[in-house]
Amino acid sequence: MNTPGAGTIDRPVTRDPKKQDPTMNPSFTGTPAPANSGALESRQNRNLEMQLMPEDLARAHMHERLQEAESERRAHRLAAARRMQRRAERASLRARRALAIAVMQ
């Protein structure tokens, strides 16, 4: 019954990094970084880009929604301005008629 992380009689498990067997843990060997560290860096960048994709998508979606809302507000303002213009034209016509009637009498 060998459980993962359990030591053997020859190599007992220890939590002290100074006492760990260097062949079992490559991070404690004195070997320099691999020559393809650029590949590792690009992989990390790609992972970071993958993590940031939902943020970019959400930002683009919110930008689009804000533009739609602004366009809708402009349309409402234009419709309100046209209604006010028609109302003002009708009021102007009523005033002209009232003036014409007053002058005729």
Side-chain angles (χ1 to χ4, degrees), residues 6-82:
T8 62
I9 293 176
D10 295 343
R11 294 189 174 128
V13 126
T14 177
R15 301 223 186 270
D16 186 9
K18 293 177 185 171
K19 293 181 183 175
Q20 286 183 353
D21 185 11
T23 60
M24 297 298 281
N25 193 347
S27 65
F28 293 111
T29 60
T31 58
N36 63 353
S37 63
L40 178 63
E41 186 177 321
S42 71
R43 193 174 314 126
Q44 286 175 343
N45 285 341
R46 185 172 59 236
N47 287 342
L48 181 63
E49 287 173 14
M50 294 286 281
Q51 289 173 354
L52 294 179
M53 267 187 202
E55 288 182 26
D56 289 340
L57 288 172
R59 195 174 293 115
H61 183 67
M62 286 305 297
H63 181 68
E64 186 178 333
R65 297 281 307 268
L66 286 172
Q67 282 183 338
E68 286 175 10
E70 182 61 33
S71 174
E72 224 173 287
R73 279 192 291 270
R74 271 191 244 119
H76 283 294
R77 283 196 300 260
L78 181 63
R82 286 184 176 159

